[in-house]
Every structure is written in structure tokens, then in C-alpha cells.
Amino acid sequence: MTGALFPRQAGLHPPAFTPGYKTSVLRSPQRALISFGSGPSEETGPAFGHVKLGEHDNDLLLNHARPGQSAIGERIIVHGRLLDEGGRPIPGALIEIWQANAGGRYRHKKDGYLAPLDPDFGGCGRAITAEDGSYVFRTIKPGAYPWPNGPNEWRPAHIHFSIFGHSFGQRLISQMYFEGDPLIARCPIAQTIPDKEALNRLVAALDMAETKPMDAIAYKFDIVLRGRRQTHFENRLEGM
Ligand SMILES: O=C(O)c1ccc(O)c(O)c1
């Protein structure tokens, strides 16, 4: 048990009802939410330290590729540190990611976008944070893709993140964007976040220091699970 959690500040989070993001209309609660203090069911959680990951689980270039092949696209490294509300590193946390391929298509039966699938790219991976809270993935930069929220809407390139901290109350599901992408300012999902500083915290910075010359460009994405500097949740019920 890690002890009482900082209460979540509802005002900091995207409102659940944001008609510009059409599916939020049906998903959002019809009544005001009731807030309970945290108890053992929020303050405890699964421990993933014992889970043995496969050799390429955090390497999306290879984890779905045929022998000798690799995913097509702009090769990137995504890394950062996982921190709790007090700024302390969280070791042993499970981070799962999923994303579209370089053409903007997910390997999912409901994704019918005309960009082709890449036979060597699955689109998901996982990592467990190290003692200093750090994690790293190797992948390709996902493509932007159109979605039927309006007549001509495009999601900015993004990677979905799910993180289990020490407790269920710290579970976070969010999306990471890429520095400099002009579609972020036009995205109804990203724009549900009222606080622009908070939106900036979802934007990974180009990190030349970690770039591997002649190989892969690096982006840095630190994640804070609760508190004032929290990485924002998605505008979905599970993120409340
Ligand atoms: O919630 C949705 O409707 C929705 C649509 C498109 C996305 O890329 C996404 O992450 C969520």
C-alpha cells in the first residue's frame, strides 16, 4: 500500500462533455460525479516487477517483424521517466503503448483506412520502468489519420499510453503527441484539455541528446501519475 492519494482536481481535467469531440456527447455522464476519498481499493494495485517481458516487447520495430525485417517508417526512440505526485520515480510500473503504423493505420479489424498495413508492424509494446522510473521504446513515428468527427478531421500523430503505477488510483491512460505537429492545435480530442500547459505536457520534445546518429530520432516524454503536474487523462469515462 502506498497511502492516501492526492485527490484528483476535477477542474484540471478535460470536461467529459465536449461536443466538438462528438463521441464525448454519448459517453459523458448525465449527472455530476460523486468524489470519494481513496481507500485500499485505490491505494493498492498489481505489482509487475515479477513479469518477465519478451526480448523485443519494447521494440516495435522488431516485435511483429518477420526474421530479418523491420517496421517501415521514421525510426524513433520514445523515452522518459515515470513519476508520482511527489516527483519520486516509480520503478516496476507497467507501461503499455499502442499506435497506428507510419501510414496512419491500426492493425485492428475495425480500421478500414485506405493506408496499407505493414506486415512487419503490429503497433503495440510494453515496458516495465527501471529503478529510476525510466522507460524506453523503439518504434516508428505513427502517421496522422482522418476520422469521422467532422467533414475533414485528422488526428495528429500520437501514441496511446496505459500506465499502472503502484495503485489502481494511479492508473493513467493518455496519448502522447509530437513536438511541432500543426494538427495538435486542430484536434478536437487534444483541444478538450482547457489548460494549454497541461496539453503541452502531452507533447513529447525532440531530444537530440538521445538521438542515435544514422539510426533513430529520440523524443522525451515524462509522465506524472497524479498531483498538480499530472499528465492528463483522456477525455473518457475511464479517465475520470
Ligand atoms: O474516442 C474516439 O472516438 C477516438 C477517435 C479517434 C482516435 O484516434 C481516438 O484515439 C479516439
Side-chain angles (χ1 to χ4, degrees), residues 21 23 27 106 145 147 155 158 160 175 189 236:
Y21 171 18
T23 44
R27 282 183 192 152
Y106 288 95
Y145 56 81
W147 64 305
R155 293 297 328 279
H158 62 277
H160 296 266
Q175 300 186 24
I189 295 183
R236 291 192 181 183

Side-chain angles (χ1 to χ4, degrees), residues 41-220:
S41 55
E42 291 76 33
E43 292 161 15
T44 59
F48 293 105
H50 63 282
V51 174
K52 197 160 172 3
L53 300 187
E55 190 192 351
H56 296 311
D57 279 13
N58 69 339
D59 186 353
L60 286 71
L61 293 183
L62 297 182
N63 71 11
H64 192 85
R66 294 163 293 179
Q69 303 293 318
S70 160
I72 293 171
E74 189 179 327
R75 296 160 66 89
I76 61 169
I77 292 160
V78 177
H79 76 105
R81 287 206 310 155
L82 184 65
L83 305 169
D84 72 7
E85 52 261 53
R88 293 171 291 248
I90 303 187
L94 179 70
I95 303 190
E96 297 164 292
I97 64 168
W98 62 101
Q99 63 168 95
N101 70 21
R105 176 148 174 200
Y106 288 95
R107 182 173 289 282
H108 190 281
K109 60 177 186 282
K110 284 199 175 159
D111 189 339
Y113 183 33
L114 47 78
L117 283 173
D118 172 356
D120 295 306
F121 186 68
C124 41
R126 59 183 187 162
I128 290 181
T129 54
E131 276 308 306
D132 62 354
S134 64
Y135 73 89
V136 61
F137 289 97
R138 202 163 73 132
T139 184
I140 50 90
K141 188 169 177 192
Y145 56 81
W147 64 305
N149 188 65
N152 186 18
E153 295 217 18
W154 294 78
R155 293 297 328 279
H158 62 277
I159 298 180
H160 296 266
F161 273 72
S162 161
I163 299 117
F164 266 107
H166 291 309
S167 66
F168 286 106
Q170 288 181 322
R171 177 139 194 245
L172 178 108
I173 296 177
S174 197
Q175 300 186 24
M176 183 206 98
Y177 301 101
F178 292 86
E179 178 182 350
D181 188 339
L183 291 172
I184 298 169
R186 297 170 183 267
C187 173
I189 295 183
Q191 295 304 320
T192 59
I193 298 179
D195 170 356
K196 293 307 142 209
E197 280 294 305
L199 175 55
N200 273 341
R201 293 202 291 274
L202 296 187
V203 180
L206 177 66
D207 182 359
M208 288 308 286
E210 288 302 313
T211 288
K212 294 232 175 335
M214 307 305 287
D215 181 344
I217 296 173
Y219 287 89
K220 186 160 196 271

